Amino acid sequence: MWMDTKYEPGTVKVVAYDKNGNAAEEKEIHTAGKPHRIVLKADRNRIQADGKDLSFINVSVVDRNGNPCPTADNQIRFSVRGAGTYKAAANGNSASLELFHLPEMKLFNGQLTAIVQSNKTPGIIFLKASARGLKEATIEIITLHE
């Protein structure tokens, strides 16, 4: 239980040791500053140009130092051009009444997932995500006939 733990901004460092007591891996996480920019990361950057294939893009927000902002709840707006279309977004908030098919959604715990769909012409899908007060981001998804 962590009920008596006081929150303080700073750094948490975790060190994993092997069976001989040697440090095997380390990871640090830092308290986030003010939300600064949007980050986009696709599950796949190449999809089939068959009019059906999808790419799921994680949308998150980081501070000036690249630290994730887990409390960010910015309204993210999407636009797509090129060889595909915007399909939907979902933020994982079971209490959200936002419509999945509209090209905008609020972040939940600093993240959401956007989905783009290929058309039948090979090329590049450009997904742009923007929000008031944040640096926007664009990601490219290549569509191919294979």
Side-chain angles (χ1 to χ4, degrees):
M1 295 291 244
W2 295 77
M3 304 303 207
D4 60 345
T5 302
K6 284 187 176 182
Y7 170 79
E8 290 184 23
T11 300
V12 174
K13 181 177 181 177
V14 176
V15 181
Y17 296 92
D18 64 18
K19 64 183 178 182
N20 299 319
N22 299 314
E25 191 164 339
E26 296 181 12
K27 182 168 183 171
E28 289 186 12
I29 56 172
H30 307 275
T31 302
K34 181 180 173 185
H36 179 66
R37 68 180 170 90
I38 299 170
V39 175
L40 303 175
K41 184 175 181 185
D43 68 329
R44 297 180 301 143
N45 288 83
R46 293 177 181 271
I47 61 175
Q48 293 298 309
D50 59 7
K52 299 176 188 175
D53 208 359
L54 305 171
S55 180
F56 294 78
I57 296 105
N58 175 266
V59 181
S60 62
V61 171
V62 297
D63 68 10
R64 285 189 185 277
N65 297 317
N67 297 309
C69 297
T71 60
D73 63 354
N74 305 73
Q75 182 80 17
I76 307 293
R77 289 174 301 284
F78 300 102
S79 63
V80 174
R81 63 182 175 83
T85 57
Y86 172 86
K87 194 67 175 169
N91 63 14
N93 182 352
S94 62
S96 175
L97 298 176
E98 294 179 90
L99 300 175
F100 296 108
H101 70 285
L102 296 180
E104 63 180 328
M105 185 166 280
K106 275 190 166 195
L107 296 167
F108 180 62
N109 291 335
Q111 298 187 64
L112 63 78
T113 298
I115 305 168
V116 295
Q117 183 174 26
S118 67
N119 59 30
K120 293 185 178 184
T121 304
I124 300 174
I125 301 170
F126 299 90
L127 172 72
K128 180 170 85 171
S130 60
R132 182 186 294 166
L134 298 177
K135 286 189 174 183
E136 65 185 34
T138 301
I139 192 168
E140 298 179 8
I141 308 298
I142 298 168
T143 66
L144 310 161
H145 284 298
E146 289 190 279

